[in-house]
Amino acid sequence: YVAKSRGRNRTVIFDEALHTTLIRRIQLEADLREALAAGSLWVAYQPIFDLRTGACAKAEALVRWNHPTLGPISPLEFIAIAEQSDLIHQVGEFVLDTACRDARLLREQGFPNLRMSVNMSLRQVDRAGIIDVIYATLERHRLVPAALCLEVTESTIAADDLASVRIFQTLSEKGIHLSIDDFGTGYSSLARLLNLKVNQLKIDRSFVTDLPVEPDNRLIVEGIIALAHALDLEVVAEGVENREQLDVLRGLGCDHVQGYYFARPSAIHEFIPAVGQAKSL
Ligand code: C2E
Ligand code: CA
Ligand code: CA
Ligand code: CA
């Protein structure tokens, strides 16, 4: 709108950029629908290690899409597109089912207590029957509720959407774990954390990256860990890429770590070898 008032050329450039974005979105939405029908989405898993025992205690499921002509599309892009249509429910159910199937497999192959984290957006929860879908999926794969952890962002639980808050409450009472993802980047009220019986806080990668050299980040991470432990919650640090970050996190009493330093997300058949080759804690 501002651009328009400044002359015709800028208007054209602005419109072209918008046009390109729109075309890509519409194309990706159609292709995503096809990918779902063709079964070409897949799920990668990244191990999460217990800092005290060094064991792989958890894993995070991360959806993947290799577009036939555009190559790998970031889930940040196609999840956002899926959320603007009804595709998010299909994508979400596919990830949940696949992650639970693979959690059962890993639990039978040397990780008897592994807890699988699945990312959930507000739109996914905002659907009639989601509780039954989750329970049925656990049952289908013979998993106890505590084998599953749902990762939700702060904005999801901060939403003034009482229905979804009640859904999270029900799931947590059943024994399914709740984790607040990207913690520190949004606003969570302390009351809401307690009310929802959250089990875990996940420190956002942005605080971990410069942790060894940035005093402010150190204070933030220290504060999050103190808060978590005061509330009896576990803390996971995501995006750990080097030894220095790990050493600071250990010094601050962080419980779990996840990141490229240990292992990148991988296909299920590469998960066990990746855990075996991970740098020791
Ligand atoms: P997220 O939940 O914060 O996931 C962590 C992201 O950081 C993942 O990116 C992971 O591959 C990446 N990562 C892990 N360790 C490191 C590290 O050491 N360094 C760096 N630079 N990155 C690291 P990915 O897989 O591209 O996913 C991006 C986002 O897409 C996720 O962020 C999540 O918000 C969303 N997403 C992924 N899968 C799903 C899904 O199944 N459902 C929903 N709703 N969202 C998903
Ligand atoms: Ca996550
Ligand atoms: Ca995260
Ligand atoms: Ca993050």
Side-chain angles (χ1 to χ4, degrees):
Y1 187 71
V2 173
K4 270 185 184 170
S5 68
R6 290 191 186 171
R8 194 168 158 73
N9 285 343
R10 278 191 74 166
T11 308
V12 170
I13 291 165
F14 176 76
D15 282 350
E16 263 172 20
L18 185 65
H19 187 70
T20 308
T21 309
L22 272 176
I23 294 286
R24 181 175 166 98
R25 224 198 59 204
I26 291 163
Q27 186 62 52
L28 284 182
E29 187 186 321
D31 295 347
L32 180 58
R33 202 174 294 277
E34 229 166 77
L36 272 164
S40 56
L41 291 188
W42 61 284
V43 180
Y45 301 97
Q46 188 176 31
I48 301 172
F49 295 90
D50 183 321
L51 246 171
R52 234 147 283 148
T53 65
C56 167
K58 314 172 195 239
E60 180 174 8
L62 296 156
V63 68
R64 293 289 179 263
W65 180 23
N66 297 315
H67 189 280
T69 56
L70 300 170
I73 311 286
S74 164
L76 284 172
E77 182 174 17
F78 74 80
I79 289 286
I81 290 171
E83 278 176 350
Q84 287 163 10
S85 68
D86 272 347
L87 289 174
I88 189 61
H89 303 302
Q90 280 180 68
V91 175
E93 281 179 29
F94 164 75
V95 174
L96 181 69
D97 185 64
T98 307
C100 286
R101 187 196 67 202
D102 290 336
R104 153 74 24 220
L105 199 89
L106 292 172
R107 282 181 155 235
E108 282 168 2
Q109 296 187 3
F111 302 89
N113 299 312
L114 183 116
R115 181 169 292 138
M116 182 62 79
S117 277
V118 175
N119 293 287
M120 279 252 158
S121 59
L122 183 60
R123 280 266 353 253
Q124 266 175 278
V125 182
D126 192 16
R127 185 195 203 191
I130 184 68
I131 290 182
D132 293 333
V133 167
I134 293 172
Y135 291 174
T137 307
L138 287 173
E139 243 169 63
R140 189 159 59 248
H141 300 290
R142 292 172 290 118
L143 290 173
V144 291
L148 179 65
C149 176
L150 301 177
E151 289 195 9
V152 299
T153 61
E154 285 180 276
S155 54
T156 302
I157 64 154
D160 266 334
D161 180 347
L162 281 180
S164 51
V165 168
R166 222 167 280 134
I167 286 169
F168 284 126
Q169 231 158 8
T170 306
L171 294 170
S172 118
E173 274 158 20
K174 175 89 172 178
I176 292 166
H177 280 227
L178 287 185
S179 174
I180 308 303
D181 206 353
D182 304 338
F183 193 79
T185 60
Y187 299 94
S188 317
S189 88
L190 218 51
R192 188 60 60 85
L193 287 181
L194 287 170
N195 197 13
L196 277 175
K197 298 198 181 61
V198 165
N199 305 88
Q200 166 182 301
L201 301 183
K202 211 162 180 182
I203 301 173
D204 191 59
R205 176 159 60 87
S206 59
F207 302 119
V208 174
T209 306
D210 295 326
L211 186 57
V213 293
E214 185 52 70
D216 285 352
N217 284 3
R218 197 193 175 91
L219 278 175
I220 291 168
V221 169
E222 205 171 354
I224 294 174
I225 293 171
L227 170 71
H229 289 168
L231 297 177
D232 211 17
L233 314 180
E234 293 190 327
V235 192
V236 180
E238 69 174 16
V240 180
E241 293 183 346
N242 58 53
R243 184 90 221 172
E244 291 69 42
Q245 294 163 342
L246 171 64
D247 289 341
V248 178
L249 288 164
R250 194 200 305 276
L252 294 176
C254 186
D255 305 301
H256 291 85
V257 283
Q258 172 183 9
Y260 293 171
Y261 180 66
F262 308 100
R264 287 180 180 255
S266 66
I268 185 63
H269 62 276
E270 289 162 353
F271 182 87
I272 294 176
V275 169
Q277 285 157 23
K279 290 204 186 57
S280 68
L281 288 145

